Amino acid sequence: MFGLIQPCRGRLGATAHELWSAHLCGLCLALRDTAGQPARLATTGDGVVLSLLVAAQRPTATVRRGAGPCPLRSMRTARVVAADDPGITLAASASLAAAAARIHDHARDGDGLAGTRLLRAGATRAAGAVDRAADRTGRRVGFDTAELVESVHRQFALETATRRCPEADGAADGNTERAGALLALIAPTEDAAAAAFRHCAELAGRPENTGTLAEAGRLFGRLTHLLDAVTDRAADGQAGRWNPLTASGTTDAAARSLCLDALTGLRLAVDELTLAPSADAALLRALLVDELAHTVTRTFAGAGGAGGATTARATGTGTAPVEGGGWWRRRRARRQARRRGRRQESWCERCGDCCEACEVCDCGCDC
């Protein structure tokens, strides 16, 4: 799935990964029930974090329901979090709002299908419909998406104001002014994430967690925007699109420093939360601490690489280059597994497809 958090079964373990899948599939079905089949495309791992935040703070277990066969589960049934669960409902609302914001962004930038001349008007109307669906869904659990929509408008205003941006070439690492300018450019994303995280405390009946969750959300939003900017920087430069790193003259090294600081703050915030002793709380810690740290490593390793012909794989003695052909090795491994009569369990079986995304897997799998 898309999103900042893409956990690996090899690192989580079978039990935790099953719980993750229960929340992820529950979010997917909640989006379908809320806004129709196309809305399932808005399913992301980041939305699952909101559902887990609510579940991890409550002493009672989340309600499960049966789900029918799905191609992404190798046509197997599953027990997933119910669509009317408050955490899943909040996650669905935030996911729809994020999807609408991305469609608006593509339409404005002339990027992708939504940005083509023939489809731009239709894409804008579709984004408006998704915004309304997000608002309807959020109101079921007392969440007002107006703050998220306002953040989108603020972000667009900042982008418009900084279209004529300085180049990052020669920028000094650790420059306080540049870091401040970058944080000002991504502040709307931080505020939107803080609003969604903060509401998790209200749904769980944990008012003591409100301030800590707001700070955790702000740091999570910072990581989301920074890592997305690092990933897209080269493509944005070639296409002439706005990028906050280029607009603020921030180097990748400086961005990495900000990400590491955000990771530290997020870990401290998670430690301060009052959570119920449950599997949901353990999974939440694994995602917001371990998996996010792995995502940062993966992102900056990819940004510093040669573009896919050569990848770096973390080993016990350091980082060694691995020539292309990873796709072929995974394909051969799957054929051998089928010959032995072993059925593939899911996308993440033996970490095959996870490693295709991360390229620097250190989970101990043999893919």
Side-chain angles (χ1 to χ4, degrees):
M1 290 297 175
F2 304 106
L4 180 62
I5 295 181
Q6 300 176 24
C8 170
R9 181 181 181 135
R11 291 189 299 271
L12 286 183
T15 302
H17 192 270
E18 181 181 357
L19 179 59
W20 157 265
S21 298
H23 282 271
L24 184 68
C25 295
L27 172 58
C28 180
L29 295 177
L31 288 168
R32 179 201 65 184
D33 296 343
T34 299
Q37 292 285 358
R40 300 173 78 170
L41 295 173
T43 305
T44 66
D46 300 345
V48 175
V49 172
L50 296 176
S51 177
L52 278 171
L53 274 172
V54 176
Q57 296 178 83
R58 294 186 302 185
T60 57
T62 56
V63 178
R64 301 284 187 93
R65 73 177 181 90
C70 175
L72 303 186
R73 292 194 299 268
S74 301
M75 298 307 296
R76 290 175 300 169
T77 60
R79 298 289 297 176
V80 305
V81 179
D84 58 355
D85 180 83
I88 285 291
T89 304
L90 175 63
S93 176
S95 297
L96 289 171
R102 185 165 291 275
I103 296 173
H104 279 303
D105 186 56
H106 286 317
R108 285 194 301 259
D109 291 345
D111 181 32
L113 289 176
T116 59
R117 183 174 301 178
L118 292 176
L119 299 179
R120 187 175 303 166
T124 302
R125 288 194 298 271
V130 175
D131 267 329
R132 292 189 292 273
D135 183 61
R136 288 195 306 270
T137 306
R139 290 185 185 279
R140 297 178 190 170
V141 289
F143 180 60
D144 187 1
T145 60
E147 188 169 353
L148 305 188
V149 175
E150 189 268 340
S151 297
V152 173
H153 293 316
R154 283 171 50 210
Q155 187 68 58
F156 178 60
L158 286 172
E159 293 180 13
T160 302
T162 55
R163 285 292 175 181
R164 295 182 178 179
C165 54
E167 294 296 331
D169 296 339
D173 294 348
N175 188 297
T176 304
E177 292 183 1
R178 292 188 185 279
L182 175 62
L183 294 180
L185 291 177
I186 65 177
T189 303
E190 295 181 4
D191 294 341
F197 272 54
R198 184 173 61 242
H199 197 70
C200 292
E202 300 178 20
L203 291 181
R206 295 279 191 178
E208 66 273 20
N209 286 339
T210 302
T212 304
L213 278 178
E215 180 61 21
R218 189 167 289 107
L219 294 172
F220 186 85
R222 180 180 302 179
L223 282 169
T224 301
H225 206 144
L226 285 177
L227 295 180
D228 184 63
V230 170
T231 302
D232 295 342
R233 185 172 197 167
D236 288 343
Q238 293 176 359
R241 291 189 296 265
W242 186 88
N243 186 288
L245 298 179
T246 306
S248 61
T250 305
T251 62
D252 284 352
R256 182 176 182 274
S257 179
L258 287 173
C259 287
L260 293 178
D261 289 343
L263 281 176
T264 300
L266 191 56
R267 175 175 53 81
L268 294 175
V270 171
D271 290 341
E272 291 180 7
L273 290 174
T274 302
L275 302 176
S278 63
D280 292 296
L283 177 58
L284 178 69
R285 292 180 184 276
L287 294 179
L288 290 183
V289 177
D290 301 330
E291 289 299 325
L292 276 182
H294 184 79
T295 300
V296 171
T297 300
R298 179 183 71 215
T299 300
F300 284 96
T310 301
T311 59
R313 183 179 296 266
T315 64
T317 57
T319 302
V322 177
E323 295 300 324
W327 172 83
W328 172 252
R329 286 197 301 272
R330 280 185 286 275
R331 183 181 178 90
R332 182 178 60 186
R334 292 191 182 102
R335 285 204 307 269
Q336 292 172 348
R338 284 195 294 271
R339 292 193 187 104
R340 292 192 300 266
R342 296 174 56 187
R343 187 179 70 178
Q344 294 286 17
E345 291 186 1
S346 68
W347 278 6
C348 204
E349 175 66 11
R350 296 177 63 205
C351 194
D353 292 279
C354 280
C355 291
E356 183 176 6
C358 64
E359 298 182 348
V360 284
C361 185
D362 57 0
C363 61
C365 63
D366 58 358
C367 60

